[in-house]
Amino acid sequence: MIKLEPYVRYNGTCEEAFQFYKSVLGGEFVYVMRHKDNPEKDHSLAKEDEEKILHIALPVGDSILLMGADATSDKPVQIGDDITLAISVQEEEEVRRLFDALSAGGEITLPLQKTFWADLYGEFTDSYGIHWIISRAKGEDA
């Protein structure tokens, strides 16, 4: 099964925006992590970025997960680059197929790889300029 979810990036207002979305849409955050809590700490992280949101997730209804993050001060988000479509798939073979097909002719920004949060995770911009994340969550049954 494929799940398609919006991922929105902010320049320091992610927490404020998600508190607002929560007040309007309801629900409870299922995940909140700040840049300072990243287990793969980047020693070049600026002090002003430590409290910014690295990842947040808010369920909306029964089937949508709205996700977001703050950009760091050295890599601010430009309007138009602030929304990414995230696909989550259980089968490793399907992750690879979707990644290869959707990224064809585009620009791979992070090749598929194992991360602390996913068995497989990759990022790219497709040939139409749309940003994508493709992943297989840790521990998903194949």
Side-chain angles (χ1 to χ4, degrees):
M1 179 171 103
I2 297 174
K3 287 174 38 179
L4 180 64
E5 300 164 328
Y7 202 103
V8 186
R9 296 186 314 137
Y10 301 84
N11 286 320
T13 59
C14 183
E15 185 169 14
E16 178 183 337
F18 269 72
Q19 289 292 350
F20 171 70
Y21 302 149
K22 179 181 169 186
S23 75
V24 173
L25 301 169
E28 294 296 326
F29 299 125
V30 294
Y31 195 88
V32 179
M33 179 184 273
R34 297 185 185 282
H35 281 278
K36 69 178 182 181
D37 299 322
N38 183 345
E40 295 177 353
K41 291 204 189 302
D42 179 355
H43 296 291
S44 65
L45 183 67
K47 184 82 171 149
E48 71 237 35
D49 293 332
E50 289 180 354
E51 292 298 323
K52 289 181 179 177
I53 300 295
L54 176 64
H55 180 71
I56 192 168
L58 176 67
V60 179
D62 293 333
S63 61
I64 298 172
L65 187 63
L66 179 61
M67 299 181 291
D70 278 314
T72 53
S73 55
D74 63 330
K75 297 177 187 170
V77 175
Q78 302 297 315
I79 299 300
D81 288 339
D82 50 350
I83 297 177
T84 299
L85 297 176
I87 291 181
S88 175
V89 183
Q90 291 181 334
E91 299 81 21
E92 181 176 334
E93 191 173 295
E94 183 70 349
V95 171
R96 293 183 187 285
R97 184 189 75 76
L98 289 169
F99 187 90
D100 292 344
L102 288 169
S103 66
E107 180 182 343
I108 295 173
T109 50
L110 187 66
L112 282 174
Q113 58 191 267
K114 186 177 178 83
T115 65
F116 74 86
W117 67 88
D119 287 336
L120 273 177
Y121 178 91
E123 298 178 5
F124 60 90
T125 301
D126 70 19
S127 60
Y128 301 99
I130 302 301
H131 303 290
W132 293 85
I133 292 171
I134 309 279
S135 67
R136 178 179 187 272
K138 268 192 181 301
E140 288 282 345
D141 293 327

